[in-house]
C-alpha cells in the first residue's frame, strides 16, 4: 500500500465524516433544542407538583374536625402512649399533623401513706403546666397520631370547676374532692 493512498484515504474519510457530522448536527439541533424545552418544562412541572404536595402536607386540608372543637370550652386530650396521660386545655387544629393545646392542666396523683393501717390514699390534684423542672411554656403541640381521642368538657364537670377555682385562687394547687383508697401490699 502506498503512503499517499493511505493519506488520501484519511482525508476522504475525515471529509466524509466531517460533512456527515455537520449535516447530522444540523438535523439534530432542532430536536435537541425542543428536547431541552421539554425537559425544563418537566422539571418546572415536577417542582410545582412537589410544592403543592408539601403545602398540602404541612398546612393540611380541613377535615371539619376544627368545627367540632368548642373553642369556648376546655377539652380533655387522651394520649395513646403507655402512661395514659391526659391533658386539659384549649384545643385547636394546627394542620393535618398537629394539634395545639394551650391553658394546659393535668392530673397529679400522689400516694399518701397513713400512720396506721395498710391502706394508702391517693390525693388527686390538678396541676398547671409550667411549674415543672424543665419550665415549659403554656403551649403544647401534639402529634395527631399520638392522640387516642379528645373530648369537649362540660362547664359543670369536676375538672372545669377545679380549673376555675385554680384561676380564682391564683397559683395555689386545688385538690379535687375525690380521694381514692387503694390497698398496698
Amino acid at each position: 500500500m502506498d503512503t499517499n493512498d493511505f493519506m488520501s484515504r484519511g482525508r476522504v474519510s475525515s471529509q466524509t465524516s466531517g460533512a456527515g457530522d455537520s449535516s447530522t448536527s444540523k438535523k439534530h439541533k432542532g430536536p435537541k433544542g425542543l428536547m431541552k424545552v421539554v425537559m425544563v418544562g418537566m422539571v418546572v412541572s415536577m417542582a410545582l407538583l412537589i410544592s403543592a404536595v408539601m403545602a398540602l402536607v404541612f398546612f393540611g386540608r380541613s377535615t371539619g374536625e376544627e368545627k367540632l372543637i368548642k373553642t369556648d370550652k376546655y377539652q380533655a386530650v387522651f394520649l395513646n402512649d403507655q402512661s395514659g396521660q391526659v391533658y386539659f386545655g384549649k384545643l385547636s387544629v394546627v394542620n393535618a399533623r398537629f394539634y395545639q393545646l394551650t391553658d394546659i392542666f393535668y392530673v397529679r396523683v400522689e400516694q399518701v401513706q397513713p400512720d396506721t393501717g395498710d391502706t394508702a390514699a391517693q390525693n388527686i390534684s390538678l396541676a398547671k403546666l409550667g411549674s415543672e423542672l424543665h419550665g415549659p411554656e403554656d403551649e403544647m403541640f401534639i402529634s395527631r397520631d399520638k392522640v387516642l381521642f379528645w373530648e369537649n368538657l362540660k362547664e359543670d364537670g369536676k375538672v372545669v370547676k377545679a380549673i376555675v377555682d385554680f384561676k380564682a385562687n391564683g397559683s395555689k394547687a386545688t385538690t379535687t374532692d375525690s380521694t381514692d383508697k387503694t390497698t398496698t401490699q
Side-chain angles (χ1 to χ4, degrees):
M1 198 189 247
D2 188 353
T3 310
N4 288 335
D5 285 342
F6 181 74
M7 294 294 274
S8 65
R9 277 192 232 178
R11 274 190 239 137
V12 170
S13 67
S14 69
Q15 287 175 354
T16 306
S17 66
D21 285 345
S22 67
S23 67
T24 307
S25 64
K26 285 181 183 177
K27 288 180 185 176
H28 289 294
K29 268 190 180 176
K32 280 187 180 178
L34 180 62
M35 191 66 141
K36 285 181 182 179
V37 170
V38 169
M39 290 301 289
V40 168
M42 288 178 62
V43 168
V44 169
S45 298
M46 289 300 289
L48 289 173
L49 180 63
I50 290 170
S51 298
V53 168
M54 288 177 66
L56 183 64
V57 167
F58 286 116
F59 299 113
R61 58 183 162 172
S62 174
T63 60
E65 184 178 16
E66 57 268 2
K67 294 176 186 173
L68 300 173
I69 298 172
K70 296 179 180 176
T71 56
D72 60 329
K73 298 184 181 222
Y74 282 92
Q75 287 76 37
V77 179
F78 295 81
L79 301 184
N80 64 5
D81 61 358
Q82 292 179 354
S83 70
Q85 183 67 47
V86 180
Y87 291 101
F88 307 99
K90 300 287 185 161
L91 186 67
S92 62
V93 174
V94 175
N95 58 30
R97 296 180 55 201
F98 290 98
Y99 289 113
Q100 178 184 27
L101 192 64
T102 57
D103 197 11
I104 306 166
F105 292 84
Y106 61 94
V107 174
R108 182 182 299 153
V109 180
E110 297 176 46
Q111 297 290 335
V112 179
Q113 295 295 331
D115 292 334
T116 60
D118 61 348
T119 57
Q122 291 182 335
N123 283 340
I124 300 173
S125 61
L126 199 61
K128 178 77 173 135
L129 184 75
S131 61
E132 295 77 15
L133 180 64
H134 62 287
E137 293 182 358
D138 192 16
E139 178 180 46
M140 185 182 292
F141 295 93
I142 306 168
S143 178
R144 290 176 84 154
D145 64 343
K146 300 298 181 196
V147 174
L148 184 59
F149 64 95
W150 61 267
E151 302 173 320
N152 290 309
L153 299 178
K154 293 191 276 182
E155 305 232 354
D156 61 349
K158 289 182 180 182
V159 171
V160 174
K161 284 182 180 179
I163 291 172
V164 170
D165 289 345
F166 184 91
K167 289 183 172 190
N169 296 329
S171 61
K172 193 165 87 172
T174 305
T175 304
T176 62
D177 59 355
S178 64
T179 304
D180 297 330
K181 300 254 184 196
T182 58
T183 305
T184 59
Q185 297 176 347

